[in-house]
Amino acid sequence: MSVDTATVKRVAHLARIAVTDEDAERMTGELNAILGFVEQLNEVDVDGVEPMTSVIPMEMRKRQDGVGDGSKAEDIVANAPMTEDNFFLVPKVVE
Amino acid sequence: MTELTRLTIAEARAKLVSKEITAGELTDAYLAAIEAANGALNAYVAVTPDKARKMAAASDARLAKGECGALEGIPLGIKDLFATEGIHTQAGSHILDGFEPRYESTVTANLWADGAVMLGKLNMDEFAMGSSNETSYYGPVVNPWRAKGSNKDLVPGGSSGGSAAAVAAWLCAGATATDTGGSIRQPAAFTATVGIKPTYGRCSRWGIAAFASSLDQAGPIARDVRDAAILLKSMASVDPRDTTSVDRPVPDYEAALGHSIKGMKIGIPREYRVEGMPEEVETLWQKGIAWMRDAGAEIVDISLPHTKYALPAYYIVAPAEASSNLARYDGVRYGLRVPGKDVIEMYENTRAAGFGREVKRRVMIGTYVLSAGYYDAYYLRAQKVRTLIKRDFENVFAEGVDAILTPATPSAAFGIADQDMNADPVKMYLNDIFTVTVNMAGLPGIAVPAGLDANGLPLGLQLIGRPFDEETLFRTAGVIEQAAGHFAPERWW
């Protein structure tokens, strides 16, 4: 399978990365090189093979359903580019 | 007196306990070495002299009282991927601009609890995506090794290039690193240092910026096998904050050293003899086999038939997981923000400016292979192939093989801005051809220096072990180290 520049632009939008026409063109070549490389997986017979979910067989550890941490609003917003009263500030999303 | 920075961790530990030296003196020696060398090598992206001196003073106070942790007063470098409270943590990326976490990663917290001293944060490929340390926002790290008679700058490997270069150039006694496809073992091989990627689940991933969560593992890079064993003992733990942390006590790895390997079965996988591999790598591998045999091990030929599919499967699984993990960098909660006319444009502009080329490439691949209609063809198939890769290893271990010996990398260190590698991303990816299988199967792997090529550049061998059998790796790597000797770069910086 290979991608064209229009697909690359669509994927870039899904990934929320702004691309110029020039970027999209360059990425098309690079992505096709990688997709070409992974194509060889089609040679492998995977009939009846379970997909890997965990490399180390282990039971999921469960914890008590209780509050273990919290009341750290200031720590949480400390690194944000824009905040007000411990809220994150973003451009308006609803009219 | 020998230069303080040349002491191994084990040697420094003995001198600190006997009060022959102080943690303050040792730390100052490293800080002076960093000051003199970092301009040329670019191994550190942030140096923390005040914190280092304070931690060293606290260590000296404890040593005076006869209380000492396993790493009391030992100065270490920390890969920029680990969250360190109040200190530069940017994963080698521009998108985490100015990020200083309010918490400490479990691995680094374990090191400080054992008395270690932090010298600073080490350069790395952006978000650990790279094999040459050239994708870092902070520019490439220069390998302290150069070819005989040449002054051409070489890469230290990646992604833990800063860690490997700093250890090899005596800019820290040891370093933390991480390995998703070979990021500990390949740079270790390029710099004649020892690097171990432990079994998945052995070190907590809490507080380590995530790249590919099912593959990422932390481990040490050190000057010798003993130091690597000492560091891993402190880094590893059982952590309730990481659900993939495995509930198993951490053994005393150092105690495993020096035991005989007589009667051990060492597997030699025929699939690791790849086309275009330099003669010297093959010769070194044969030498390693001979050293193992001389030490009393039984050498057996084995087959790992799905080896060649590990790298292509990795380049689906790792980008897929990365595209999800890196979705959090959106200019809202931390780091860089580039404004836009609305929130979507703000995300897009921030990520366009904040991520470098390689990271964008992998996020795009990941987004594509997970997108509607392609999931089964790519991701699901890759995860099935991964099951087969793991089964290959299980089969040979079931036949009684204790460890597997392979080359660590298909070549020695290459030049910075290598034309071929830059022109074709896949060529760069092939650096991990011998290491990536281990991540795909969750197994432990160690790279140990084994010799120099005709140009005088280091080459390493890799040993792969059963899950949670790091002790066998330290033991067998110790045999190689003893036979091969130690290698140090000639100082030019």
Side-chain angles (χ1 to χ4, degrees), chain B residues 141-292:
Chain B
V141 174
V142 176
N143 193 330
W145 285 85
R146 282 175 166 176
K148 253 187 307 204
S150 161
N151 56 9
K152 188 178 157 198
D153 285 343
L154 302 177
V155 303
S159 69
S160 310
S163 304
V167 171
W170 305 282
L171 306 184
C172 58
T176 66
T178 59
D179 190 315
T180 303
S183 283
I184 290 176
R185 292 159 287 156
Q186 184 250 18
F190 278 13
T191 56
T193 53
V194 176
I196 181 164
K197 181 205 91 75
T199 312
Y200 184 79
R202 182 67 288 181
C203 289
S204 168
R205 291 181 298 110
W206 198 82
I208 301 174
F211 160 17
S213 305
S214 76
L215 301 159
D216 298 343
Q217 254 300 288
I221 292 182
R223 306 239 185 92
D224 64 16
V225 174
R226 180 174 299 274
D227 282 5
I230 295 170
L231 286 170
L232 183 60
K233 168 95 171 78
S234 284
M235 290 171 72
S237 62
V238 182
D239 185 4
R241 285 186 293 197
D242 173 3
T243 50
T244 60
S245 157
V246 172
D247 192 4
R248 263 176 101 109
V250 181
D252 181 358
Y253 297 120
E254 203 182 350
L257 291 175
H259 288 281
S260 165
I261 64 159
K262 220 183 192 112
M264 267 193 190
K265 251 191 193 180
I266 306 294
I268 310 300
R270 68 177 68 103
E271 291 81 6
Y272 281 59
R273 198 158 280 121
V274 296
E275 217 181 300
M277 188 166 87
E279 182 81 31
E280 288 169 303
V281 174
E282 170 70 33
T283 309
L284 190 79
W285 194 11
Q286 292 307 322
K287 253 193 202 171
I289 293 170
W291 290 330
M292 288 283 140

Side-chain angles (χ1 to χ4, degrees), chain B residues 303-381:
Chain B
S303 173
L304 299 165
H306 295 91
T307 297
K308 71 176 273 208
Y309 300 110
L311 200 60
Y314 174 86
Y315 274 96
I316 291 173
V317 174
E321 294 184 13
S323 72
S324 314
N325 275 326
L326 272 59
R328 73 190 71 182
Y329 305 105
D330 57 5
V332 174
R333 287 153 298 165
Y334 25 66
L336 186 75
R337 171 183 289 195
V338 179
K341 66 173 174 2
D342 54 23
V343 75
I344 301 281
E345 202 183 278
M346 188 264 290
Y347 295 152
E348 293 188 341
N349 291 346
T350 300
R351 290 163 66 82
F355 290 145
R357 262 196 194 194
E358 182 63 29
V359 172
K360 283 182 197 167
R361 189 145 62 209
R362 297 203 198 184
V363 168
M364 296 275 288
I365 285 285
T367 307
Y368 178 71
V369 300
L370 292 178
S371 63
Y374 295 105
Y375 180 88
D376 284 5
Y378 286 111
Y379 190 72
L380 197 66
R381 175 168 280 265

